[in-house]
């Protein structure tokens, strides 16, 4: 919601033009049209109403040139109107299924228009069940099934966002080329719930209703945790955190070490603790 204001988008564009912010490739817009059943602080969702061009077009106009990804819930009525309005301003825009209980057909209908991501895979996704004895198919199954869709994973130290067994299963299904690690960092100040389930979950944020509200991590944490939970190698988690996101967005000048590429580099130890940072070839840490 904070990002979805014209004023803040203007400020971000100014910052992105500064030399010290040249590593920012663009924005990931988690909204506006998500399913209001899901996510933290649901009562404050200002986009619960119908898809409305008068409301969303000013946001598209302000963000289209820096917004690389637009997350949406494909089951929202008339969501294709929003998709087409985004594509009219930026034909290269990418979409993600997020905070959704869409059926596979709803999701696959948007794939020809650039839906390539499952936002925080297995989190804030529904389960379409028609018969009590039968497991339904919904967002998670659609992301797993479609090779073209990258599965984003929040990998915290306790395996709460995604159970370690599920992490291993998704890795087996999607393969090393279709996983993206994210931190899902968010500012929230609710206390860790007293439930034993969350004991020691100090890298996760909670809202004041006691619900998970993103994480306190930066990306070295998910990389280190993915190695612990799945046995993935150092090279593989670098791929999940860097190469795969760049590939998904079509950014050929980063995400891999190659002559002529942007020299934004991390040097880490065997446990993925950051030792040195290079920005544009200059060592800053």
């Amino acid at each position: 919601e904070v990002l979805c204001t014209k004023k803040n988008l203007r400020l971000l564009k100014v910052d992105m033009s500064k030399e010290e912010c040249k590593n920012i490739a663009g924005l990931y817009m988690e909204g506006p049209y998500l399913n209001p059943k899901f996510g933290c602080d649901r009562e404050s969702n200002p986009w619960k109403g119908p898809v409305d061009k008068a409301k969303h077009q000013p946001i598209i106009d302000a963000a289209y040139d820096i917004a690389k990804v637009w997350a949406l819930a494909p089951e929202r009525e008339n969501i294709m109107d929003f998709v087409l309005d985004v594509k009219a301003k930026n034909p290269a825009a990418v979409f993600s299924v997020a905070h959704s209980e869409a059926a596979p057909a709803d999701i696959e209908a948007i794939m020809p228009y650039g839906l390539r991501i499952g936002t925080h895979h297995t989190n804030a996704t529904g389960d379409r069940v028609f018969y009590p004895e039968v497991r339904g198919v919904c967002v998670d199954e659609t992301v797993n099934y479609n090779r073209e869709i990258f599965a984003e994973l929040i990998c915290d130290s306790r395996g709460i966002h995604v159970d370690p067994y599920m992490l291993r299963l998704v890795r087996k299904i999607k393969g090393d080329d279709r996983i993206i690690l994210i931190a899902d960092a968010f500012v929230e100040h609710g206390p860790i719930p007293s439930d034993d389930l969350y004991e020691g979950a100090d890298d996760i944020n909670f809202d004041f209703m006691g619900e998970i509200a993103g994480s306190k991590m930066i990306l070295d944490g998910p990389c280190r945790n993915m190695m612990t939970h799945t046995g993935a190698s150092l090279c593989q988690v670098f791929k999940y955190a860097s190469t795969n996101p760049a590939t998904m967005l079509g950014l050929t000048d980063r995400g891999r070490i190659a002559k002529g590429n942007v020299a934004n580099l991390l040097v880490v130890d065997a446990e993925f603790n950051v030792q040195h940072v290079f920005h544009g070839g200059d060592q800053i840490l």
Side-chain angles (χ1 to χ4, degrees):
E1 181 183 353
V2 175
L3 290 181
C4 284
T5 66
K6 292 187 287 185
K7 177 184 177 182
N8 283 324
L9 287 166
R10 285 196 298 270
L11 292 173
L12 281 165
K13 288 182 181 182
V14 171
D15 284 342
M16 287 173 64
S17 68
K18 298 176 181 177
E19 186 62 33
E20 62 268 28
C21 297
K22 289 290 180 67
N23 59 314
I24 301 175
L27 298 183
Y28 191 122
M29 304 288 282
E30 197 166 327
Y33 295 118
L34 307 178
N35 189 315
K37 292 182 182 179
F38 301 103
C40 63
D41 199 17
R42 291 185 288 276
E43 296 306 312
S44 300
N45 186 340
W47 295 90
K48 295 179 181 179
V51 171
D52 183 350
K53 185 180 180 72
K55 285 184 65 179
H56 67 240
Q57 192 63 50
I59 300 298
I60 295 172
D61 291 341
Y64 77 93
D65 54 340
I66 57 173
K68 301 295 185 182
V69 177
W70 296 83
L72 50 79
E75 71 271 24
R76 292 287 297 263
E77 187 175 1
N78 298 323
I79 193 65
M80 193 59 73
D81 294 345
F82 173 72
V83 169
L84 294 176
D85 287 337
V86 170
K87 297 297 277 191
K89 290 292 290 191
N90 180 11
V94 172
F95 296 98
S96 177
V97 53
H99 290 231
S100 170
E101 58 179 358
D106 299 327
I107 300 165
E108 291 172 351
I110 303 178
M111 289 177 64
Y113 298 89
L115 191 148
R116 292 188 210 154
I117 311 171
T119 292
H120 41 57
H121 187 42
T122 77
N123 291 126
T125 52
D127 187 11
R128 298 177 71 92
V129 178
F130 301 103
Y131 308 102
E133 301 86 357
V134 179
R135 180 182 177 86
V137 291
C138 195
V139 177
D140 301 333
E141 290 77 19
T142 311
V143 172
N144 285 339
Y145 180 77
N146 284 280
R147 170 73 178 164
E148 298 87 341
I149 301 179
F150 288 75
E152 285 183 354
L153 296 170
I154 307 169
C155 194
D156 57 69
S157 60
R158 290 286 313 283
I160 290 172
H161 278 92
V162 188
D163 186 277
Y165 194 95
M166 180 65 76
L167 290 169
R168 295 191 291 272
L169 176 63
V170 172
R171 188 174 169 220
K172 185 173 184 178
I173 293 170
K174 299 300 292 183
D176 291 335
D177 294 335
R178 289 296 184 271
I179 289 174
I180 293 176
L181 283 178
I182 60 171
D184 201 42
F186 187 70
V187 178
E188 186 56 274
H189 304 290
I192 298 176
S194 57
D195 190 320
D196 290 344
L197 174 67
Y198 298 120
E199 184 178 354
D202 54 7
D203 57 357
I204 298 175
N205 273 322
F206 297 88
D207 64 20
F208 284 92
M209 297 298 290
E211 297 191 26
I212 294 174
S215 88
K216 299 176 183 177
M217 298 183 291
I218 55 177
L219 204 49
D220 62 328
C223 290
R224 188 162 48 250
N225 297 332
M226 190 73 171
M227 292 167 65
T228 300
H229 293 323
T230 72
S233 71
L234 195 69
C235 292
Q236 286 165 331
V237 296
F238 259 116
K239 188 171 189 177
Y240 305 157
S242 183
T243 307
N244 291 351
T247 299
M248 182 273 299
L249 289 171
L251 300 174
T252 58
D253 65 344
R254 65 198 70 194
R256 54 189 57 79
I257 298 174
K259 184 177 180 180
N261 275 13
V262 178
N264 294 339
L265 304 169
L266 291 181
V267 179
V268 301
D269 64 17
E271 283 75 43
F272 217 99
N273 298 301
V274 176
Q275 305 297 302
H276 301 292
V277 178
F278 293 84
H279 180 226
D282 297 323
Q283 185 172 346
I284 60 175
L285 176 66

